């Protein structure tokens, strides 16, 4: 692999990079980027990456050329004080091109492409939005005879006009009102669904809430009406039937929160006092009127509203700490050590040294910044008085409704049930260098964890280590083997079990020796997806970095890569290890 690039600093707010690389087993690759920041509140970024695959790869008995292009365009800016425009576009010629030629693992494996452009204006508590959006999701495995043939689903919103408001008080009464409305043209195309060229959709949702408080108790009854009209409806096979449909629903929500239970521990520990807070919460929700759910075409979360009669209950535990023997922070001295009086005239000797000593002692006194949350842990569950959701639930397939999606993103409904899985959301940050997050969905009915996501980061001095584990077991419809295309018509569980570990010593610009490594393991398929080791040695004038990287992304990329970079301070870098690909 041999290549070079030219960087041009056009002016103080604009630059460009243009380069090319030669792959000895494939052909030429081209890449370029143009960046601009016309003002403090705007930016523009255009990137191009393409490969002309002249030789191709041998898959089975045929030679497949996997070249293509990946083009992105991003921009954002304030049109005036209250109006903002955002642009986020991407063109990908084929999904295998990304898997084969993208050299960053986290950028190579995402299977969706989101294109969106919107203008938003927020003024006087009202929000006006114009949005264009295209979501493409690649699914399944490539065809054994056509490796570039990845199936995909596409959802379009062209355009979508949304108007909404914040809660507003009704005169001098304790009532508050708000509304949200949207008009859009939606379309969905894919391997298992074919919609009409464009479906018109109108959605209106007025809302009234009455927040009440008494001696720490919070009781907030809320009443919503929802009317959604479609220019097309679905038949029994989820295809358009050509007729209009209007979905009308009424929703009542009762949110109840009791006074928080608190305890302050008088005995300090490690120079801190601690407070434990327990926050109970219960929410009752009743929705009625959705008697035509089977006729609603599904495009996004707007279309999965169903009748329901349910209650959600949970507890949130919080642990706070506050440092003792510290100096309070004021607006004038925030972030500064306490001031020390200057030494009087004629006492520059011992008095000056005493003053210096006092300044050092004063600067070592902890600064009070208020209490700090160390631990938060929420445990919650839902109970469904109507396990059929007004007849919307279809046994034997995976069902996703508003009630379940708002509670947990992990699908679990394949039949009638009263209890949802128990969710646990734990976050621990005992120090600035310590961070732990662990989210669990435990299904009491099946006796297993549907999902477990753990993230850990720890730093002490120049040493750092981090890791993550993702376990996902969701019901899959009509799939007997997640690695094949065979169809059995039965509900099975598709497991996803992966580990990520990152560790090292030092940082990118630290003088001397620095090292970092990372590895990703797929425990379901029992193989290492990627592994990276980087070593850097920096002098005052320059730095030298070496890297070994291995990719194993299915049958499309199985590479061992050796990279290096030699950097001169304030001059530039020579080599094939880009800054955005480093582990530090």
């Amino acid at each position: 692999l041999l290549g070079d690039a030219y960087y041009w600093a056009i002016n103080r707010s604009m630059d460009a990079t243009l380069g090319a690389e030669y792959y000895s087993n494939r052909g030429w690759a081209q890449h370029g980027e143009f960046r601009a920041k016309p003002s403090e509140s705007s930016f523009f970024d255009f990137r191009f990456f393409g490969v002309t695959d002249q030789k191709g790869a041998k898959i089975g008995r045929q030679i497949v050329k996997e070249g293509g292009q990946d083009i992105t365009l991003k921009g954002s800016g304030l049109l005036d004080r209250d109006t903002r425009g955002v642009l986020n576009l991407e063109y990908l010629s084929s999904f295998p091109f990304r898997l084969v030629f993208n050299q960053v693992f986290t950028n190579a494996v995402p299977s969706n492409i989101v294109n969106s452009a919107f203008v938003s204006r927020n003024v006087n508590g009202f929000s006006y939005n114009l949005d264009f959006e295209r979501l493409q999701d690649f699914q399944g495995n490539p065809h054994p005879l056509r490796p570039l043939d990845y199936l995909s689903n596409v959802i379009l919103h062209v355009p979508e006009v949304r108007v909404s408001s914040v809660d507003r008080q009704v005169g001098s009464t304790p009532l508050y009102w708000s509304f949200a409305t949207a008009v859009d043209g939606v379309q969905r195309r894919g391997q298992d669904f074919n919609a009409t060229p464009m479906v018109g959709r109108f959605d209106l949702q007025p809302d009234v809430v009455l927040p009440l408080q008494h001696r720490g108790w919070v009781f907030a009854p809320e009443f919503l009406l929802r009317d959604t009209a479609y220019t097309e409806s679905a038949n029994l096979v989820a295809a358009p039937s050509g007729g209009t449909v209007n979905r009308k629903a009424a929703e009542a929500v009762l949110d109840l929160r009791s006074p928080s239970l608190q305890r302050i521990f008088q005995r300090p520990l490690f120079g801190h006092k601690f407070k434990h807070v327990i926050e109970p919460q219960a929410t009752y929700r009743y929705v009625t009127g959705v008697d035509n759910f089977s006729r609603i075409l599904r495009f996004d979360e707007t279309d999965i509203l169903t009748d329901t009669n349910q209650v959600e209950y949970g507890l949130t535990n919080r642990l706070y700490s506050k440092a003792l023997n510290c100096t309070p922070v004021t607006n004038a001295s925030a972030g500064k050590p306490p001031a020390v009086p200057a030494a009087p005239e004629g006492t520059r000797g011992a008095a000056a040294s005493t003053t210096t000593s006092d300044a050092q002692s004063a600067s070592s006194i902890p600064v009070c910044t208020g209490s700090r949350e160390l631990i938060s842990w929420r445990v919650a569950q839902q109970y469904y008085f109507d396990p059929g959701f007004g007849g919307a639930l279809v046994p034997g397939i995976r069902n996703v409704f508003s009630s379940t999606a708002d509670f947990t993103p992990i699908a679990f409904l394949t039949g009638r049930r009263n209890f949802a899985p128990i969710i646990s959301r734990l976050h621990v940050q005992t120090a600035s260098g310590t961070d732990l997050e662990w989210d669990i969905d435990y299904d009491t009915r099946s006796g297993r964890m549907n999902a477990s996501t753990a993230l850990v980061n720890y730093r002490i001095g120049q040493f750092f280590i981090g890791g993550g584990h993702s376990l996902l077991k969701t019901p899959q419809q009509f799939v007997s083997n997640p690695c094949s295309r065979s169809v059995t018509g039965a509900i099975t569980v598709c497991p996803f079990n992966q580990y990520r570990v990152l560790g090292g010593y030092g940082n990118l610009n630290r003088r001397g020796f620095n090292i970092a490594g990372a590895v990703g393991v797929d425990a379901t398929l029992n193989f290492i997806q990627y592994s990276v080791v980087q070593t850097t040695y920096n002098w005052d004038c320059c730095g030298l970095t070496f890297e070994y990287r291995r990719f194993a992304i299915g049958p499309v990329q199985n590479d061992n890569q050796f990279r290096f970079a030699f950097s001169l301070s304030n001059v530039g870098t020579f080599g094939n290890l880009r800054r955005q690909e480093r582990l530090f």
Side-chain angles (χ1 to χ4, degrees):
L1 188 153
L2 181 66
D4 198 6
Y6 177 76
Y7 172 75
W8 179 23
I10 303 173
N11 55 43
R12 292 177 61 87
S13 60
M14 193 179 301
D15 62 10
T17 304
L18 185 64
E21 297 165 337
Y22 179 72
Y23 298 93
S24 59
N25 287 333
R26 291 301 183 97
W28 285 97
Q30 317 87 35
H31 65 89
E33 181 177 10
F34 172 77
R35 302 185 302 176
K37 192 171 178 59
S39 65
E40 293 183 359
S41 59
S42 63
F43 79 93
F44 180 85
D45 189 352
F46 173 80
R47 297 185 183 185
F48 172 84
F49 175 67
V51 176
T52 304
D53 191 0
Q54 299 173 344
K55 300 180 180 180
K58 187 176 182 180
I59 300 180
R61 297 182 178 181
Q62 62 176 334
I63 301 297
V64 179
K65 294 185 177 181
E66 299 170 317
Q69 303 82 34
D70 190 356
I71 305 173
T72 61
L73 177 62
K74 297 182 179 181
S76 174
L78 291 178
L79 305 181
D80 58 41
R81 188 183 65 176
D82 303 314
T83 307
R84 177 171 176 256
V86 175
L87 192 66
N88 184 13
L89 305 177
E90 180 176 7
Y91 167 76
L92 181 64
S93 58
S94 69
F95 185 51
F97 166 72
R98 170 185 283 179
L99 293 174
V100 173
F101 290 103
N102 199 304
Q103 302 303 311
V104 180
F105 182 83
T106 54
N107 295 337
V109 296
S111 60
N112 53 37
I113 298 176
V114 178
N115 287 274
S116 63
F118 70 86
V119 177
S120 178
R121 179 174 176 81
N122 299 284
V123 59
N124 297 328
F126 293 94
S127 178
Y128 308 90
N129 302 272
L130 176 64
D131 182 25
F132 296 81
E133 184 173 300
R134 181 182 187 269
L135 172 63
Q136 183 175 10
D137 183 28
F138 294 96
Q139 297 181 346
N141 299 303
H143 195 281
L145 300 179
R146 299 189 300 275
L148 296 182
D149 183 18
Y150 271 74
L151 301 176
S152 67
N153 286 332
V154 177
I155 298 177
L156 295 175
H157 293 259
V158 282
E160 181 179 26
V161 179
R162 289 178 287 115
V163 182
S164 60
S165 73
V166 299
D167 291 337
R168 292 175 172 271
Q169 190 172 5
V170 181
S172 58
T173 68
L175 286 173
Y176 288 81
W177 67 272
S178 64
F179 77 94
T181 183
V183 180
D184 55 352
V186 287
Q187 183 186 28
R188 179 173 174 177
R189 304 190 304 265
Q191 55 176 330
D192 57 351
F193 190 95
N194 287 299
T196 57
M198 191 63 61
V199 176
R201 183 176 66 180
F202 171 77
D203 183 59
L204 175 63
Q205 180 178 324
D207 183 1
V208 177
V209 62
L210 178 63
L212 302 174
Q213 297 186 26
H214 181 68
R215 294 186 177 181
W217 288 83
V218 178
F219 181 69
E222 184 177 5
F223 184 71
L224 305 87
L225 293 176
R226 191 156 190 175
D227 192 347
T228 310
Y230 301 81
T231 59
E232 297 288 344
S233 61
N235 57 28
L236 294 179
V237 294
S241 63
T244 62
V245 61
N246 190 5
R247 183 192 66 191
K248 298 180 179 180
E251 179 176 353
V253 180
L254 301 178
D255 190 7
L256 178 63
R257 303 189 184 190
S258 68
S260 300
L261 306 178
Q262 304 180 13
R263 179 183 178 183
I264 298 178
F265 297 91
Q266 299 299 328
R267 180 177 297 179
L269 182 64
F270 303 116
H272 289 73
K273 292 186 67 176
F274 295 91
K275 180 173 72 171
H276 180 211
V277 179
I278 301 178
E279 302 173 351
Q281 180 182 3
T283 302
Y284 174 76
R285 185 183 182 201
Y286 179 79
V287 180
T288 184
V290 186
D291 55 359
N292 51 3
F293 182 79
S294 61
R295 297 188 60 201
I296 304 299
L297 296 170
R298 320 280 198 268
F299 301 100
D300 52 33
E301 65 277 2
T302 302
D303 312 312
I304 55 176
L305 180 69
T306 65
D307 285 354
T308 187
N309 185 8
Q310 66 182 58
V311 62
E312 178 181 331
Y313 43 89
L315 286 176
T316 301
N317 285 267
R318 304 183 191 274
L319 182 64
Y320 296 91
S321 72
K322 186 175 182 179
L324 301 175
N325 301 323
C326 57
T327 302
V329 173
T330 63
N331 293 334
S333 62
K336 300 179 182 179
V340 178
E345 289 292 335
T347 58
R348 297 298 185 188
S353 61
T354 303
T355 302
T356 303
S357 176
D358 292 342
Q360 294 175 350
S361 300
S363 62
S364 64
I365 296 176
V367 177
C368 287
T369 57
S371 60
R372 178 168 163 266
E373 184 179 87
L374 301 180
I375 302 175
S376 66
W377 183 22
R378 179 175 181 262
V379 179
Q381 191 180 33
Q382 286 184 344
Y383 180 84
Y384 306 114
F385 298 98
D386 178 12
F389 293 88
L393 187 139
V394 180
I397 69 172
R398 183 172 60 178
N399 296 263
V400 178
F401 303 143
S402 295
S403 302
T404 61
D406 292 341
F407 181 65
T408 173
I410 310 303
F412 60 89
L413 272 181
T414 57
R416 295 171 63 90
R417 58 186 297 166
N418 294 106
F419 287 97
I422 299 174
I423 64 170
S424 171
R425 304 293 184 256
L426 175 65
H427 183 236
V428 180
Q429 191 172 20
T430 56
S432 59
T434 304
D435 195 7
L436 167 65
E437 186 171 349
W438 190 12
D439 298 341
I440 299 176
D441 285 24
Y442 181 78
D443 195 338
T444 56
R445 182 172 181 177
S446 60
R448 68 160 188 260
M449 283 194 300
N450 288 345
S452 173
T453 303
L455 300 173
V456 180
N457 291 289
Y458 180 72
R459 172 178 287 273
I460 178 170
Q462 295 294 331
F463 292 93
F464 63 91
I465 187 172
H469 173 241
S470 297
L471 173 65
L472 181 64
K473 296 180 179 180
T474 59
Q476 300 293 315
Q477 180 182 352
F478 306 131
V479 176
S480 61
N481 187 338
C483 298
S484 72
R485 294 194 175 202
S486 58
V487 176
T488 63
I491 286 290
T492 60
V493 173
C494 182
F496 177 90
N497 190 11
Q498 297 190 354
Y499 294 87
R500 303 283 186 267
V501 178
L502 168 68
Y505 172 79
N507 57 70
L508 179 64
N509 300 314
R510 177 181 171 274
R511 191 174 185 270
F513 179 74
N514 308 273
I515 187 172
V519 63
V521 178
D522 190 320
T524 301
L525 301 179
N526 196 24
F527 79 102
I528 298 177
Q529 295 177 317
Y530 73 95
S531 57
V532 185
V533 176
Q534 289 180 6
T535 60
T536 299
Y537 195 91
N538 294 320
W539 295 269
D540 290 336
C541 63
C542 51
L544 186 61
T545 300
F546 290 97
E547 176 194 87
Y548 165 74
R549 180 186 305 178
R550 171 164 175 77
F551 274 169
I553 306 178
V556 295
Q557 186 173 176
N558 193 346
D559 298 335
N560 293 294
Q561 302 176 5
F562 299 89
R563 293 169 172 256
F564 78 98
F566 177 70
S567 302
L568 288 172
S569 179
N570 299 322
V571 177
T573 300
F574 173 78
N576 58 357
L577 179 59
R578 298 183 179 91
R579 184 182 182 92
Q580 61 267 29
E581 298 173 357
R582 301 198 182 199
L583 296 179
F584 294 104

